[in-house]
């Protein structure tokens, strides 16, 4: 199974394909071999307005309709990785779009705030997504290496 971190990778594959390749791509989506997360790119979301973030999320749902993958392509997971932080309204907008789960990880050079490995991320309006912090395991390994030596 290939899961695209960003939905624009799927758009590029679709737009760069001939009709036979598009049929193959849809077959793979229908059979669960290709999946995509809901965000079109990995963003510096703290630089984006609520409306711009909402438009970015909507773009993935529009892509699903455009390629005929409605009912086949699950967009209930968001991944936002290798960024310096996350916009505090992101969980509200993800929940609004029907996203249930998120995977986050800030750039390893940025300290950020310590997060539990799994938590309910709530936005200011009460929207929430179950969130996995990828950096938790990296921090644990770094602490272990530092202590060992």
């Amino acid at each position: 199974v290939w899961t695209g971190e960003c939905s624009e990778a799927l758009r590029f594959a679709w737009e760069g394909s001939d009709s036979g390749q598009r049929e193959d791509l849809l077959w793979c989506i229908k059979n669960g071999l290709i999946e995509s997360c809901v965000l079109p790119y990995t963003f510096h979301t703290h630089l984006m307005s609520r409306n711009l973030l909402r438009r970015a999320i909507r773009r993935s749902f529009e892509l699903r309709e455009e390629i005929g993958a409605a009912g086949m392509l699950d967009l209930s997971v968001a991944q936002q990785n290798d960024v310096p932080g996350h916009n505090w309204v992101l969980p509200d907008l993800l929940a609004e779009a029907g996203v249930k789960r998120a995977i986050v990880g800030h750039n390893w050079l940025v300290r950020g705030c310590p997060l539990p490995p799994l938590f309910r991320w709530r936005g200011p309006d009460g929207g929430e997504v179950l969130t996995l912090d990828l950096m938790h395991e990296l921090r644990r390994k770094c602490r272990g290496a530092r202590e060992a030596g």
Side-chain angles (χ1 to χ4, degrees):
V1 175
W2 177 79
T3 302
E5 179 178 336
C6 304
S7 64
E8 283 300 294
L10 185 57
R11 181 182 301 278
F12 296 144
W14 183 260
E15 290 175 352
S17 299
D18 61 34
S19 61
Q21 292 168 323
R22 287 180 175 187
E23 285 179 27
D24 291 342
L25 187 59
L26 280 176
W27 184 90
C28 289
I29 292 169
K30 181 179 181 179
N31 290 282
L33 299 175
I34 293 178
E35 298 178 354
S36 179
C37 293
V38 72
L39 294 172
Y41 298 103
T42 297
F43 295 112
H44 286 222
T45 59
H46 59 285
L47 299 176
M48 300 172 72
S49 69
R50 182 181 289 258
N51 287 335
L52 188 55
L53 280 167
R54 187 177 281 120
R55 282 180 47 207
I57 293 167
R58 186 173 50 238
R59 185 171 169 84
S60 298
F61 288 94
E62 291 168 353
L63 170 65
R64 183 172 66 180
E65 295 296 322
E66 288 169 22
I67 68 173
M72 294 186 283
L73 186 61
D74 178 18
L75 295 173
S76 67
V77 177
Q79 185 162 342
Q80 180 69 356
N81 204 12
D82 197 23
V83 293
H86 309 286
N87 191 314
W88 73 317
V89 301
L90 191 56
D92 285 331
L93 299 177
L94 292 173
E96 176 183 292
V99 174
K100 306 292 183 207
R101 296 172 308 279
I103 303 164
V104 299
H106 57 270
N107 185 292
W108 71 276
L109 293 173
V110 178
R111 294 185 112 182
C113 61
L115 299 171
L118 190 64
F119 61 98
R120 292 206 176 274
W121 188 14
R122 287 186 185 90
D125 295 338
E128 69 177 44
V129 290
L130 182 62
T131 303
L132 174 67
D133 174 30
L134 293 176
M135 297 307 295
H136 181 81
E137 183 64 14
L138 179 61
R139 283 190 297 272
R140 186 187 68 75
K141 287 181 179 179
C142 287
R143 274 192 307 273
R146 207 173 35 241
E147 290 167 3

